[in-house]
């Protein structure tokens, strides 16, 4: 007897349908699993034998069994196939008669007792089920909070093999609705009012958030660079539904969604350590998985003490900063991961960190400084819209009771500026000013004759590149939006030019 069910395989950040088949026939008893399974899939037969026995079912071990996972050329990994393999075993041996109309995608890892454990990629599977016209999706109850966010399919969360069997037999129905706890907001305790004496830095972060601009923070240790970066998500706009689906799907595939949690509601903030490996940052592996850059998609990627990262690792950021995606090539093929991030880097200006601090003497030699700063290449520096100096804070300012504007107040200004940009770019795939192309810069960033003269002088003075020219105009456009000005005035351009400085290496 032949039995068949549908499951999924994860490729990149997407799910593709997989047919799980069992040919149950007379012959010399043996079991074989084909379809390019990895070690975890090969071990599935041992898990499902114990799960079936502990749930009161029999595994048809006295027959010739050939399990197939198709398409055969697609590598299958993980324990996601435990549940469909167990169900086709019951169907083929006559212990389960499917009385449920329609095709369902089935996935889940079984414990030896028959309970279901959480899996990766539930949201990607639900999206695929909706796009491919499946009736619904059957998956562990702990992953149902992700799947119910997708319209057009039925989500069936089960806690055990018995419930899955009861559902397909028509003897058990899942609850009409699922009650999942709200996810905690990890940045709820952070606020820019905590920062004292750094109003210019807070202003720069406001511009960064309002236009989605990449930002480089430079200054001595303890001046507040990390503090400023960590609070950036508190003033960014909330995720749209489409952004939330994109972001959650990446985190789900990476196994970073806690059981019982649904769509991500706030923008991610990722801060990899400088000891991170290349696959850990950009993604990779035998079967490519997303790295920190992709996990920061639609959010903030913060790289603290940037010169401590290997230079070759920093250079890999150049492609995603321009393209909003990163491609991982392997012998088996290439996978493209979304990577539209707001990059914030912080750095000292010398190895000892005292350069730029008037209170402490830097004893680093010129060669030491050049070697340290040189770890960040000129082309990478050129991709930052804002170069922000973060001076040390005076002790008197630290003792002040008031911390200035709160994150809530700053966020209101960001939302007003983003609303202007949304109206400006209606019908175009441009989320913010920083994402404008040359045509949009020419169309929306007109300068007065006085402004053109000022920008020419700045280009000559600082030796700015053509890329820097365009980025100054984008930042000026954002500053004008914050001022609710339809035109870029001289003051807006002056502030934008101040965020570009001479080469920090010399």
């Amino acid at each position: 007897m032949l039995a068949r069910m549908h499951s999924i395989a994860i490729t990149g950040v997407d799910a593709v349908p997989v047919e799980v088949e069992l040919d149950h026939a007379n012959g010399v008893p043996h079991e074989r699993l084909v379809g390019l399974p990895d070690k975890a899939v090969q071990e599935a037969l041992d898990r499902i034998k114990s799960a079936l026995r502990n749930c009161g079912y029999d595994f048809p071990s006295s027959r010739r069994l050939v399990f197939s996972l198709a398409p055969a050329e697609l590598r299958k990994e993980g324990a996601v196939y435990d549940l469909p393999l167990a169900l086709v075993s019951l169907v083929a041996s006559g212990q389960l008669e499917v009385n449920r109309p329609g095709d369902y995608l089935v996935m889940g890892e079984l414990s030896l007792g028959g309970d279901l454990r959480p899996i990766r990629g539930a949201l990607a599977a639900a999206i695929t089920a909706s796009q491919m016209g499946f009736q619904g999706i059957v998956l562990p109850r702990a992953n149902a909070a992700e799947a119910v966010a997708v319209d057009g399919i039925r989500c069936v969360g089960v806690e055990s093999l018995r419930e899955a069997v009861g559902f397909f037999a028509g003897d058990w129905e899942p609850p009409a609705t699922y009650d999942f706890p709200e996810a905690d907001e990890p940045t709820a305790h952070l606020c820019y009012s905590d920062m004292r004496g750094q109003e210019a830095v807070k202003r720069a972060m406001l511009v960064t958030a309002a236009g989605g601009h990449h930002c480089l923070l430079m200054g001595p240790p303890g001046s507040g660079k990390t503090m400023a970066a960590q609070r950036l998500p508190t003033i960014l706009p909330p995720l749209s539904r489409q952004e939330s689906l994109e972001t959650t799907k990446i985190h789900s595939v990476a196994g970073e969604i806690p059981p019982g949690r649904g769509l991500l509601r706030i923008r991610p903030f990722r801060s990899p350590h400088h000891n991170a490996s290349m696959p850990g940052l950009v993604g990779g592996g035998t079967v490519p998985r997303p790295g920190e850059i992709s996990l920061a998609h639609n959010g903030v990627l913060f790289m603290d003490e940037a010169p401590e990262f290997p230079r070759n690792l920093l250079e890999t950021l150049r492609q995603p900063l321009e393209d909003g995606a990163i491609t991982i090539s392997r012998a088996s093929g290439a996978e493209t991961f979304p990577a539209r991030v707001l990059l914030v880097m912080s750095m000292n200006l010398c190895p000892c960190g005292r350069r730029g601090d008037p209170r402490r003497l830097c004893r680093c030699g010129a060669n030491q400084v050049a070697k340290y700063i040189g770890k960040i290449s000129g082309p990478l520096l050129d991709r930052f819209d804002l170069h922000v100096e973060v001076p040390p804070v005076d002790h008197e300012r630290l003792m002040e009771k008031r911390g200035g504007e709160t994150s809530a107040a700053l966020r209101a200004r960001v939302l007003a500026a983003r609303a202007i940009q949304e109206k400006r770019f209606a019908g175009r795939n441009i989320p913010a000013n920083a994402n404008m192309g040359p045509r949009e810069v020419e169309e929306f960033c007109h300068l007065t004759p006085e402004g053109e003269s000022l920008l020419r002088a700045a280009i000559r003075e600082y030796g700015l590149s053509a890329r820097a020219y365009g980025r100054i105009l984008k930042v000026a456009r954002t500053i004008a939006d914050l001022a609710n000005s339809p035109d870029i005035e001289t003051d807006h351009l002056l502030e934008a030019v101040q965020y570009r400085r001479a080469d920090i290496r010399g």
Side-chain angles (χ1 to χ4, degrees):
M1 181 178 178
L2 182 67
R4 178 186 293 113
M5 284 200 169
H6 299 280
S7 191
I8 57 100
I10 299 295
T11 60
V13 293
D14 297 313
V16 296
V18 169
E19 280 196 354
V20 180
E21 298 177 302
L22 170 58
D23 181 30
H24 175 275
N26 294 323
V28 178
H30 79 284
E31 304 148 10
R32 189 178 181 193
L33 178 58
V34 299
L36 209 58
D38 72 352
K39 187 66 174 177
V41 181
Q42 294 174 14
E43 293 171 347
L45 295 183
D46 291 325
R47 287 192 296 273
I48 66 174
K49 287 177 184 178
S50 294
L52 288 170
R53 183 178 65 253
N54 289 318
C55 289
Y57 305 111
D58 294 322
F59 182 79
S61 55
S62 60
R63 310 292 295 276
R64 183 179 65 84
L65 306 176
V66 179
F67 295 88
S68 173
L69 305 174
E73 70 275 7
L74 180 65
R75 185 169 181 82
K76 321 301 187 305
E77 64 166 357
V80 67
Y81 305 104
D82 288 7
L83 182 58
L85 286 171
L87 291 174
V88 294
S89 299
L90 294 177
V91 173
S93 61
Q95 299 177 79
L96 170 61
E97 182 178 350
V98 177
N99 295 316
R100 184 70 59 176
D103 288 331
Y104 286 78
L105 284 182
V106 184
M107 64 203 68
E109 177 184 352
L110 285 169
S111 71
L112 299 184
D115 295 326
L116 282 169
R117 295 188 171 119
I119 57 169
R120 296 184 299 108
L123 180 59
I127 292 173
T128 294
S130 178
Q131 293 172 343
M132 301 292 291
F134 283 88
Q135 181 77 17
I137 180 171
V138 179
L139 75 173
R141 174 69 179 270
N143 298 114
E146 298 175 45
V148 295
V150 179
D151 298 326
I153 63 163
R154 184 182 186 187
C155 173
V156 181
V158 295
E159 294 185 346
S160 66
L161 174 61
R162 285 195 183 93
E163 287 187 355
V165 171
F167 173 75
F168 281 103
D171 301 329
W172 178 85
E173 291 294 331
T177 59
Y178 294 95
D179 183 23
F180 297 110
E182 286 291 323
D184 296 329
E185 187 169 329
T187 59
H189 65 289
L190 301 177
C191 182
Y192 271 114
S193 63
D194 300 331
M195 291 188 67
R196 291 170 169 77
Q198 293 287 22
E199 296 308 311
V201 178
K202 290 168 67 173
R203 168 68 181 180
M205 303 312 292
L206 173 67
V207 175
T208 294
H213 302 287
H214 304 309
C215 178
L216 176 65
L217 301 171
M218 303 168 292
S223 56
K225 303 185 296 295
T226 302
M227 193 176 191
Q230 288 175 337
R231 283 154 179 75
L232 186 56
T234 66
I235 64 174
L236 288 171
L239 289 168
S240 67
R241 177 171 174 78
Q242 182 59 37
E243 289 175 329
S244 183
L245 285 169
E246 292 174 0
T247 306
T248 306
K249 184 166 74 168
I250 296 169
H251 284 247
S252 176
V253 166
E256 299 236 346
I257 301 293
R261 300 300 189 189
L263 296 184
L264 296 177
R265 298 181 294 113
I266 63 169
R267 296 184 182 273
F269 179 87
R270 307 293 298 192
S271 181
H273 191 264
H274 56 77
N275 284 335
S277 65
M278 185 72 74
L281 182 67
V282 304
T286 305
V287 178
R289 291 187 183 177
E292 290 290 335
I293 297 177
S294 294
L295 290 169
H297 180 62
N298 290 324
V300 178
L301 177 65
F302 176 50
M303 303 190 73
D304 199 7
E305 304 296 344
E308 300 297 333
F309 286 83
R311 178 163 177 165
N312 67 325
L313 194 148
L314 291 175
E315 291 303 301
T316 61
L317 296 172
R318 289 162 59 177
Q319 180 206 354
L321 291 184
E322 292 294 325
D323 302 338
I326 189 163
T327 300
I328 308 297
S329 298
R330 293 289 182 268
S332 57
E335 295 291 348
T336 298
F337 296 101
R340 189 174 62 246
V341 303
L342 198 167
L343 177 63
V344 179
M345 274 189 182
S346 74
M347 60 180 293
N348 302 325
L349 295 176
C350 69
C352 76
R354 295 177 181 177
R355 186 182 177 204
D357 189 342
R359 302 170 302 181
R360 296 182 292 177
L361 178 64
C362 173
R363 300 185 183 276
C364 298
N367 289 338
Q368 288 178 291
V369 173
K371 183 178 180 181
Y372 182 76
I373 300 298
K375 292 182 179 180
I376 303 180
S377 68
L380 181 58
L381 283 173
D382 215 24
R383 284 168 167 79
F384 288 96
D385 299 352
L386 284 79
H387 297 178
V388 182
E389 295 184 62
V390 185
V393 185
D394 184 81
H395 292 153
E396 294 297 324
R397 301 297 301 274
L398 287 175
M399 301 297 290
E400 292 180 356
K401 298 299 182 183
R402 295 191 313 110
E405 281 189 290
T406 64
S407 288
L410 292 172
R411 191 183 204 191
R413 298 172 64 187
V414 169
L415 293 176
R418 286 292 184 106
I420 294 172
Q421 295 167 48
E422 184 178 357
K423 183 177 180 181
R424 175 184 299 133
F425 304 129
R428 313 186 194 204
N429 186 26
I430 301 177
N433 285 336
N435 306 104
M436 285 191 289
R439 292 182 181 179
E440 290 77 26
V441 170
E442 183 177 354
E443 182 178 353
F444 299 116
C445 300
H446 299 294
L447 297 178
T448 63
E450 182 182 359
E452 290 179 355
S453 176
L454 172 65
L455 190 51
R456 287 194 189 97
I459 291 173
R460 288 194 300 269
E461 175 71 20
Y462 296 111
L464 300 175
S465 66
R467 179 184 286 116
Y469 166 80
R471 292 183 183 277
I472 288 175
L473 290 177
K474 295 176 186 180
V475 173
R477 180 67 267 171
T478 298
I479 295 169
D481 291 342
L482 285 167
N484 196 23
S485 171
D487 301 315
I488 297 176
E489 305 291 347
T490 303
D491 289 346
H492 307 148
L493 189 59
L494 279 171
E495 183 178 353
V497 169
Q498 289 177 354
Y499 291 129
R500 302 293 303 200
R501 55 175 283 157
D503 194 335
I504 62 175
R505 294 168 295 179

